[in-house]
Amino acid sequence: MTSRFAVQAVRPAGKQPLATARTAGGGRNQWNGVLPASTVLVEWPADQESPTSYWISNLSPETPVADLVWWARMRRRIEHDYRELKHGLGARLDNARQPAAKLRTDRRAELDELGM
């Protein structure tokens, strides 16, 4: 599968970017009112009618497209690996910790193999 990529400089709106810009500008009274620029990477596969993925980055628009694509795909890989790990261990370990004595023996054996 091949994709085309586009890079565009944007100024994101919303409460979080506004608050960040005000804080970085020295507070509400000293801020110049201009939101900082961000970079948007758009992926458009050759066999699709419209773009399929968007990434917003704080890297400059002068960053080579190949580097932006590498970072975007690396982020996707990390998120995928995290989901697999979370599914493999069981989401309940994140939400409700149980003493080792209350875990099933097969679950305890899996965790012992992982060194947990």
Side-chain angles (χ1 to χ4, degrees), residues 8 26 28 30 33 49 60 63 70 78 85 94-95 101 107 109 111:
Q8 181 68 42
R28 183 180 194 134
Q30 298 174 351
E49 294 182 15
S60 72
T63 304
W70 186 87
I78 290 169
L85 179 66
D94 292 332
N95 299 330
R107 174 65 69 176
L111 294 175

Side-chain angles (χ1 to χ4, degrees), residues 55-77:
W55 293 272
I56 191 162
S57 169
N58 60 356
L59 298 172
S60 72
E62 290 80 28
T63 304
V65 176
D67 290 347
L68 288 171
V69 170
W70 186 87
W71 282 111
R73 291 199 172 151
M74 182 58 65
R75 178 180 173 189
R76 184 185 291 169
R77 185 179 310 154

Side-chain angles (χ1 to χ4, degrees), residues 89 92-93 98-116:
L89 290 176
R92 69 170 182 217
L93 291 178
Q98 294 182 2
K102 290 187 177 182
L103 291 175
R104 294 188 326 249
T105 55
D106 59 330
R107 174 65 69 176
R108 192 179 320 156
E110 288 176 6
L111 294 175
D112 286 342
E113 287 178 20
L114 294 172
M116 299 179 93

Side-chain angles (χ1 to χ4, degrees), residues 1-3 43-48 52 73 76:
M1 180 173 108
T2 59
S3 294
E43 180 181 10
W44 194 330
D47 59 345
Q48 298 291 324
T52 57
R73 291 199 172 151
R76 184 185 291 169

